[in-house]
Amino acid sequence: MTMVGRESESAAVLGLTSGVLILTGEPGAGKSTLLGLAADRHPGRVLRMTGSESEANLTFAGLHQLLRPVLGETAGLSARQRSALLGAIGLGEAEPHDTNPAETNPHDTGLAEAEPGRVDSGHGGPPDRLLLGVALLTLLSDLARRSPVLVVADDLQWIDAGSLELLAFAARRIGDEPLAVLAAARDLAGEGTRGGATAPFSGFPARTLGPLDATAAGLLLDRQPYPPTGRGRLRILDQAAGNPLALVELARANGACGADSADSADGELLPPTDRLIRVFAADLDPLPEATRQALLLVAADDRAVAGRVEALAPAEAAGLLRLTGGGHDGRRARFRHPLIRSAIYHSAPLAARRQAHRDLAALLSAEPDRRAWHLAAAAEAPDEEIAAALEESAARARQRGGYTAATTALERAAELSPGRRDRARRLVAAAGAAVSTGQPHWVRRLAAGAAELTDDPALSAEASLRVGQVLTLSTEHDTALSLLLRAAEDPGLRRIALASASVAGFYSGDEEYRLAVRARAQDDPWTLAVTDPTAHRSERVAAIPALVERADGDPARLISLGAMAWLLDETALAVRIFDDALHRWRLGGTLPIGLGCSAGWAYLDHGLWAQARTAAVNTNSAGAGLPHLDAAARSLEAAALALTGRTDEARTAGSAALSLVDPHRSRAVAVRARWALGMAAVADGDHIGAYEQFRLLFTADGGPVHYACSFPAVAELAAAAVRTGHGAEAAAIVERVADRLAEDPSPRMRILIHRARALLEPADAEPHFAAALAEPAGGQWPFERAQLLLDHAEWLRRRHRITEARHQLNTALETFRRLGARPWIDRTQAELRAAGIESAPTSPDALTSLSPQQQHIIRLAAQGLSNREIGERLFLSPRTVGSHLYRSFPKLGVTARSQLRDLIEASCPS
């Protein structure tokens, strides 16, 4: 049986056997009914998660609901995954960490584009969110292997942020297994919810339940026990405005009071929500006093059922709610609709609501977080004891990764603080936690509130720091730099503020700000390297091993040192550091959802293009509505796509990146995006388009648009220039770059400058080619070395030195095939034919025919990792890993895992 006016939606939810579907619509639109229909008809196992206002700020409360029926099934997980899941829901132990913003590692805000949760480096050690996500995905996948699984999540807008993010993480990685997630939310756009709380579910297939049309609304009224007629019917149709729940409830109220009285009722037109609340509150009148009191308590906390089952029985019989659960975790009250709960709660006098919260708090001495929130709800005036309890609750939430809950608790603690300084201090602390949510507007509002309360220099400095940190990941780099430099005037915050400012300055590329940060950097090697990676480069490189040693395995410091190595053109070292940092993070740290664009560019430069695209995808998924973060990910993805010849996709991604930022204010992203667009043009043989893009990386007078990112394009600029008649202009830029880097150029830049000069000065090219090819570090950049070999071979062939050219071409072709650089494969084969070698058409290395994710899985399988271990690293279910391996083996021409090691060794970049 389908719902009236919801026939297509009913078919959609009943047909959902795998994947995700989100239902949206106003309260009463029928979302919960459709979820119930799907759950009732589902042939396998149904797991539920229902949002609750009383638990919206309790970290992983929704996860606890979801896992409660299958706790026994967690025994099949790895020990680490099981421990993480059980710890998150309070059935394990979490390690405490002390936090002091003034002592925060200044390198934690490195160039890695980490998740918003890593912007604030002054936090403790919450559980690894990706480990939790993989554990949940693995558990659901294991359950689906036995029988189909349907996860039903109602009221997403009231599910705590931590649980919502984990469910969204698992949902995004559902393959073709019989696992489905059906969810409902009032508004996925986040308007009117907790800071855009449903944002993790944006982008999924969604159906919006709009108002019923007049025919369906009339049919629904006709199906009620007492179908309204006459003026009463018209009034109901008018005020319900197509809302199914309003139609049913207003018809019920109309029937209860009789048709005649309906015509004589108050004719004032009220907004549907107000009218519904009045209707629901009227349903309470016939109930016994004890039931109404019990209803108020469970409306305030739906877990307050114990000892009240008998009192709630009349309400359950009346259809207001249903009691669920039992056993160790107790029973819960599930209201027929959230508006019923809201009506029950708000129809009670304020004094009665406060007393209900006090009564509940008295029963929760063993649950300090819930107790603190009830005490806060009961507070009639500022109360330091309650404020302190909320502050402690925030610390616990933050340890568990519940940054939204921590921010909310600290904000409420500030409201209840009797003293202005304590209120300001807690607002600043709330701003610090809010940085980790990636919501600049929230951070700004909290910081502004603190500024109105105090002129304490230390608090003002920390407030500036927090706003500056979150704006670093936005497009407001100028504002971020100004605030961070202001914060740096506080001695206790100086190092972290300057570290954050150097990152903002890097993203901006503004010369004035770069110099301002550098002038304050003193002897900090990391900040000096970020603000000018070309000055004293060898000295900075020599310092990295000691800095790595001092990092003592801290993945946050290591990821920043990897970024430092990358900026200094120590690409192989950067990749090793990034690999170590990310591995350590996965083992027990707070692994960011975004692996970091600096890591991705290092992988790209080192010929690990599949890992680069993975980093781009993960960074993009970390974006919390931050355009700079999304643009950075898209520019990296565009570069990887261009190099593999997927030029249409590359142009789409690169153009999207440029559309998200102001190229004059976010120069790092703009330069990288234009480099990607230039390489797409090179791949297509569009030399004019390539020159136009590469020329935009330098100013009109030939200076770099970005002090670090522009230089690696100098050889491509020269290559395009000689094919378009702009040789003289390009030569001037090349020499200016050479002069700028003359003091201590990196091996990479020496190679690129030699290549550029060889292309621009063919009569004197040989010594430049020889010098570039003789550089011992050149193997760190396999694609650039293969390009150099190809250019040299073309030069040799034109001088009839065919034998030498053939050797260079064969070596270049091998590298291009290994990388999957299709356009360059074609160009190299054309040169081989011109050199008199008629080889059979060849295709790229078989490994590169796989998707980036499949390539990564094959590489890990070759190292001997099991499907479960691979899934844990790549955030996939073991079943999905097995499916990828099954599909990849025939393409690779292998039949067993034991053959993968030899295949990978033959494909690894030198």
Side-chain angles (χ1 to χ4, degrees), residues 258-288:
D260 293 339
S261 60
D263 279 341
S264 62
D266 182 7
E268 181 184 359
L269 293 177
L270 299 174
T273 300
D274 294 341
R275 178 63 174 170
L276 282 171
I277 289 175
R278 291 176 62 181
V279 169
F280 293 143
D283 288 345
L284 301 178
D285 294 338
L287 298 175

mmCIF file of all heavy atoms in Angstrom, residues 258-288:
data_model
loop_
_atom_site.group_PDB
_atom_site.id
_atom_site.type_symbol
_atom_site.label_atom_id
_atom_site.label_comp_id
_atom_site.label_asym_id
_atom_site.label_seq_id
_atom_site.Cartn_x
_atom_site.Cartn_y
_atom_site.Cartn_z
ATOM 1 N N GLY A 258 -16.507 17.929 16.534
ATOM 2 C CA GLY A 258 -17.772 17.944 15.788
ATOM 3 C C GLY A 258 -17.779 18.965 14.677
ATOM 4 O O GLY A 258 -17.152 20.024 14.759
ATOM 5 N N ALA A 259 -18.537 18.655 13.640
ATOM 6 C CA ALA A 259 -18.564 19.515 12.457
ATOM 7 C C ALA A 259 -19.135 20.881 12.754
ATOM 8 O O ALA A 259 -18.669 21.895 12.257
ATOM 9 C CB ALA A 259 -19.359 18.833 11.350
ATOM 10 N N ASP A 260 -20.167 20.949 13.593
ATOM 11 C CA ASP A 260 -20.799 22.244 13.862
ATOM 12 C C ASP A 260 -19.833 23.186 14.560
ATOM 13 O O ASP A 260 -19.734 24.358 14.234
ATOM 14 C CB ASP A 260 -22.061 22.052 14.706
ATOM 15 C CG ASP A 260 -23.151 21.318 13.947
ATOM 16 O OD1 ASP A 260 -23.076 21.321 12.690
ATOM 17 O OD2 ASP A 260 -24.040 20.746 14.589
ATOM 18 N N SER A 261 -19.171 22.639 15.568
ATOM 19 C CA SER A 261 -18.238 23.493 16.298
ATOM 20 C C SER A 261 -17.094 23.928 15.407
ATOM 21 O O SER A 261 -16.507 24.973 15.599
ATOM 22 C CB SER A 261 -17.695 22.769 17.532
ATOM 23 O OG SER A 261 -17.010 21.587 17.156
ATOM 24 N N ALA A 262 -16.780 23.096 14.427
ATOM 25 C CA ALA A 262 -15.701 23.482 13.509
ATOM 26 C C ALA A 262 -16.072 24.747 12.762
ATOM 27 O O ALA A 262 -15.248 25.612 12.522
ATOM 28 C CB ALA A 262 -15.415 22.349 12.528
ATOM 29 N N ASP A 263 -17.339 24.843 12.385
ATOM 30 C CA ASP A 263 -17.756 26.029 11.653
ATOM 31 C C ASP A 263 -17.750 27.272 12.529
ATOM 32 O O ASP A 263 -17.609 28.380 12.038
ATOM 33 C CB ASP A 263 -19.158 25.820 11.091
ATOM 34 C CG ASP A 263 -19.138 25.014 9.807
ATOM 35 O OD1 ASP A 263 -18.063 24.939 9.187
ATOM 36 O OD2 ASP A 263 -20.193 24.467 9.447
ATOM 37 N N SER A 264 -17.920 27.065 13.820
ATOM 38 C CA SER A 264 -17.959 28.226 14.714
ATOM 39 C C SER A 264 -16.642 28.477 15.413
ATOM 40 O O SER A 264 -16.536 29.327 16.265
ATOM 41 C CB SER A 264 -19.058 28.005 15.778
ATOM 42 O OG SER A 264 -18.745 26.860 16.549
ATOM 43 N N ALA A 265 -15.641 27.712 15.035
ATOM 44 C CA ALA A 265 -14.336 27.867 15.689
ATOM 45 C C ALA A 265 -13.708 29.192 15.328
ATOM 46 O O ALA A 265 -14.116 29.879 14.399
ATOM 47 C CB ALA A 265 -13.417 26.712 15.285
ATOM 48 N N ASP A 266 -12.720 29.489 16.081
ATOM 49 C CA ASP A 266 -11.971 30.725 15.843
ATOM 50 C C ASP A 266 -11.482 30.749 14.407
ATOM 51 O O ASP A 266 -10.799 29.856 13.942
ATOM 52 C CB ASP A 266 -10.783 30.784 16.807
ATOM 53 C CG ASP A 266 -9.985 32.056 16.642
ATOM 54 O OD1 ASP A 266 -10.421 32.934 15.882
ATOM 55 O OD2 ASP A 266 -8.929 32.160 17.277
ATOM 56 N N GLY A 267 -11.846 31.776 13.687
ATOM 57 C CA GLY A 267 -11.517 31.820 12.272
ATOM 58 C C GLY A 267 -10.171 32.441 11.975
ATOM 59 O O GLY A 267 -9.817 32.620 10.813
ATOM 60 N N GLU A 268 -9.397 32.801 12.994
ATOM 61 C CA GLU A 268 -8.101 33.415 12.756
ATOM 62 C C GLU A 268 -7.177 32.437 12.045
ATOM 63 O O GLU A 268 -7.025 31.293 12.465
ATOM 64 C CB GLU A 268 -7.477 33.852 14.080
ATOM 65 C CG GLU A 268 -6.129 34.535 13.907
ATOM 66 C CD GLU A 268 -5.495 34.867 15.236
ATOM 67 O OE1 GLU A 268 -6.120 34.580 16.268
ATOM 68 O OE2 GLU A 268 -4.365 35.380 15.232
ATOM 69 N N LEU A 269 -6.536 32.895 10.974
ATOM 70 C CA LEU A 269 -5.619 32.028 10.233
ATOM 71 C C LEU A 269 -4.243 32.090 10.882
ATOM 72 O O LEU A 269 -3.660 33.166 10.997
ATOM 73 C CB LEU A 269 -5.544 32.466 8.770
ATOM 74 C CG LEU A 269 -6.827 32.265 7.956
ATOM 75 C CD1 LEU A 269 -6.630 32.817 6.557
ATOM 76 C CD2 LEU A 269 -7.219 30.812 7.916
ATOM 77 N N LEU A 270 -3.752 30.964 11.309
ATOM 78 C CA LEU A 270 -2.447 30.877 11.952
ATOM 79 C C LEU A 270 -1.490 30.131 11.036
ATOM 80 O O LEU A 270 -1.913 29.301 10.232
ATOM 81 C CB LEU A 270 -2.545 30.131 13.285
ATOM 82 C CG LEU A 270 -3.456 30.762 14.342
ATOM 83 C CD1 LEU A 270 -3.574 29.846 15.539
ATOM 84 C CD2 LEU A 270 -2.940 32.124 14.761
ATOM 85 N N PRO A 271 -0.194 30.388 11.155
ATOM 86 C CA PRO A 271 0.766 29.580 10.397
ATOM 87 C C PRO A 271 0.576 28.108 10.725
ATOM 88 O O PRO A 271 0.264 27.756 11.869
ATOM 89 C CB PRO A 271 2.124 30.091 10.903
ATOM 90 C CG PRO A 271 1.847 31.460 11.417
ATOM 91 C CD PRO A 271 0.460 31.415 11.981
ATOM 92 N N PRO A 272 0.729 27.227 9.752
ATOM 93 C CA PRO A 272 0.466 25.808 9.986
ATOM 94 C C PRO A 272 1.177 25.245 11.197
ATOM 95 O O PRO A 272 0.598 24.483 11.962
ATOM 96 C CB PRO A 272 0.970 25.148 8.689
ATOM 97 C CG PRO A 272 0.830 26.205 7.653
ATOM 98 C CD PRO A 272 1.113 27.494 8.353
ATOM 99 N N THR A 273 2.428 25.629 11.415
ATOM 100 C CA THR A 273 3.162 25.065 12.548
ATOM 101 C C THR A 273 2.517 25.464 13.865
ATOM 102 O O THR A 273 2.322 24.641 14.754
ATOM 103 C CB THR A 273 4.627 25.523 12.520
ATOM 104 O OG1 THR A 273 5.228 25.078 11.309
ATOM 105 C CG2 THR A 273 5.394 24.961 13.689
ATOM 106 N N ASP A 274 2.166 26.743 13.993
ATOM 107 C CA ASP A 274 1.510 27.190 15.220
ATOM 108 C C ASP A 274 0.180 26.460 15.423
ATOM 109 O O ASP A 274 -0.159 26.045 16.534
ATOM 110 C CB ASP A 274 1.257 28.701 15.167
ATOM 111 C CG ASP A 274 2.548 29.493 15.169
ATOM 112 O OD1 ASP A 274 3.592 28.921 15.565
ATOM 113 O OD2 ASP A 274 2.522 30.669 14.771
ATOM 114 N N ARG A 275 -0.545 26.316 14.342
ATOM 115 C CA ARG A 275 -1.838 25.647 14.446
ATOM 116 C C ARG A 275 -1.662 24.187 14.862
ATOM 117 O O ARG A 275 -2.412 23.683 15.707
ATOM 118 C CB ARG A 275 -2.532 25.729 13.076
ATOM 119 C CG ARG A 275 -3.877 25.026 13.008
ATOM 120 C CD ARG A 275 -4.882 25.648 13.951
ATOM 121 N NE ARG A 275 -6.197 25.067 13.771
ATOM 122 C CZ ARG A 275 -7.222 25.285 14.581
ATOM 123 N NH1 ARG A 275 -7.064 26.067 15.640
ATOM 124 N NH2 ARG A 275 -8.387 24.729 14.340
ATOM 125 N N LEU A 276 -0.679 23.539 14.303
ATOM 126 C CA LEU A 276 -0.437 22.142 14.652
ATOM 127 C C LEU A 276 -0.034 21.996 16.111
ATOM 128 O O LEU A 276 -0.482 21.083 16.803
ATOM 129 C CB LEU A 276 0.656 21.555 13.751
ATOM 130 C CG LEU A 276 0.227 21.170 12.333
ATOM 131 C CD1 LEU A 276 1.442 20.806 11.503
ATOM 132 C CD2 LEU A 276 -0.743 20.009 12.381
ATOM 133 N N ILE A 277 0.801 22.891 16.581
ATOM 134 C CA ILE A 277 1.218 22.805 17.976
ATOM 135 C C ILE A 277 0.006 22.937 18.892
ATOM 136 O O ILE A 277 -0.126 22.211 19.880
ATOM 137 C CB ILE A 277 2.273 23.893 18.294
ATOM 138 C CG1 ILE A 277 3.592 23.540 17.593
ATOM 139 C CG2 ILE A 277 2.495 24.021 19.799
ATOM 140 C CD1 ILE A 277 4.665 24.588 17.739
ATOM 141 N N ARG A 278 -0.896 23.847 18.535
ATOM 142 C CA ARG A 278 -2.106 23.998 19.349
ATOM 143 C C ARG A 278 -2.955 22.729 19.284
ATOM 144 O O ARG A 278 -3.517 22.296 20.285
ATOM 145 C CB ARG A 278 -2.912 25.198 18.859
ATOM 146 C CG ARG A 278 -2.210 26.535 19.138
ATOM 147 C CD ARG A 278 -2.985 27.706 18.567
ATOM 148 N NE ARG A 278 -4.302 27.830 19.173
ATOM 149 C CZ ARG A 278 -5.188 28.764 18.838
ATOM 150 N NH1 ARG A 278 -4.879 29.641 17.883
ATOM 151 N NH2 ARG A 278 -6.357 28.823 19.433
ATOM 152 N N VAL A 279 -3.004 22.102 18.126
ATOM 153 C CA VAL A 279 -3.768 20.858 17.995
ATOM 154 C C VAL A 279 -3.145 19.768 18.846
ATOM 155 O O VAL A 279 -3.828 19.055 19.588
ATOM 156 C CB VAL A 279 -3.845 20.427 16.515
ATOM 157 C CG1 VAL A 279 -4.384 19.014 16.388
ATOM 158 C CG2 VAL A 279 -4.722 21.393 15.739
ATOM 159 N N PHE A 280 -1.809 19.627 18.747
ATOM 160 C CA PHE A 280 -1.149 18.565 19.493
ATOM 161 C C PHE A 280 -1.269 18.786 20.995
ATOM 162 O O PHE A 280 -1.446 17.852 21.773
ATOM 163 C CB PHE A 280 0.332 18.491 19.104
ATOM 164 C CG PHE A 280 0.561 18.054 17.689
ATOM 165 C CD1 PHE A 280 1.597 18.606 16.945
ATOM 166 C CD2 PHE A 280 -0.251 17.111 17.088
ATOM 167 C CE1 PHE A 280 1.814 18.218 15.637
ATOM 168 C CE2 PHE A 280 -0.043 16.711 15.780
ATOM 169 C CZ PHE A 280 0.996 17.262 15.056
ATOM 170 N N ALA A 281 -1.147 20.038 21.400
ATOM 171 C CA ALA A 281 -1.274 20.324 22.828
ATOM 172 C C ALA A 281 -2.674 20.002 23.327
ATOM 173 O O ALA A 281 -2.854 19.538 24.464
ATOM 174 C CB ALA A 281 -0.944 21.791 23.091
ATOM 175 N N ALA A 282 -3.689 20.200 22.480
ATOM 176 C CA ALA A 282 -5.059 19.877 22.878
ATOM 177 C C ALA A 282 -5.230 18.387 23.126
ATOM 178 O O ALA A 282 -6.065 17.963 23.928
ATOM 179 C CB ALA A 282 -6.030 20.349 21.804
ATOM 180 N N ASP A 283 -4.413 17.550 22.451
ATOM 181 C CA ASP A 283 -4.508 16.100 22.654
ATOM 182 C C ASP A 283 -4.114 15.691 24.060
ATOM 183 O O ASP A 283 -4.418 14.577 24.495
ATOM 184 C CB ASP A 283 -3.588 15.376 21.658
ATOM 185 C CG ASP A 283 -4.131 15.427 20.238
ATOM 186 O OD1 ASP A 283 -5.321 15.749 20.081
ATOM 187 O OD2 ASP A 283 -3.362 15.162 19.301
ATOM 188 N N LEU A 284 -3.435 16.577 24.770
ATOM 189 C CA LEU A 284 -2.981 16.222 26.112
ATOM 190 C C LEU A 284 -4.102 16.309 27.150
ATOM 191 O O LEU A 284 -4.050 15.655 28.192
ATOM 192 C CB LEU A 284 -1.833 17.157 26.544
ATOM 193 C CG LEU A 284 -0.580 17.171 25.663
ATOM 194 C CD1 LEU A 284 0.420 18.172 26.221
ATOM 195 C CD2 LEU A 284 0.035 15.790 25.596
ATOM 196 N N ASP A 285 -5.109 17.120 26.868
ATOM 197 C CA ASP A 285 -6.134 17.387 27.873
ATOM 198 C C ASP A 285 -6.821 16.139 28.422
ATOM 199 O O ASP A 285 -7.038 16.035 29.635
ATOM 200 C CB ASP A 285 -7.178 18.366 27.319
ATOM 201 C CG ASP A 285 -6.566 19.743 27.074
ATOM 202 O OD1 ASP A 285 -5.520 20.039 27.697
ATOM 203 O OD2 ASP A 285 -7.121 20.504 26.263
ATOM 204 N N PRO A 286 -7.184 15.151 27.579
ATOM 205 C CA PRO A 286 -7.889 13.976 28.129
ATOM 206 C C PRO A 286 -6.985 13.040 28.929
ATOM 207 O O PRO A 286 -7.483 12.133 29.593
ATOM 208 C CB PRO A 286 -8.415 13.260 26.873
ATOM 209 C CG PRO A 286 -8.280 14.239 25.751
ATOM 210 C CD PRO A 286 -7.132 15.097 26.114
ATOM 211 N N LEU A 287 -5.683 13.238 28.869
ATOM 212 C CA LEU A 287 -4.770 12.303 29.521
ATOM 213 C C LEU A 287 -4.673 12.574 31.020
ATOM 214 O O LEU A 287 -4.816 13.719 31.473
ATOM 215 C CB LEU A 287 -3.375 12.419 28.895
ATOM 216 C CG LEU A 287 -3.278 12.075 27.409
ATOM 217 C CD1 LEU A 287 -1.865 12.346 26.904
ATOM 218 C CD2 LEU A 287 -3.662 10.617 27.151
ATOM 219 N N PRO A 288 -4.397 11.525 31.803
ATOM 220 C CA PRO A 288 -4.221 11.710 33.251
ATOM 221 C C PRO A 288 -3.050 12.645 33.537
ATOM 222 O O PRO A 288 -2.114 12.761 32.742
ATOM 223 C CB PRO A 288 -3.937 10.292 33.750
ATOM 224 C CG PRO A 288 -4.442 9.381 32.689
ATOM 225 C CD PRO A 288 -4.282 10.125 31.395
#
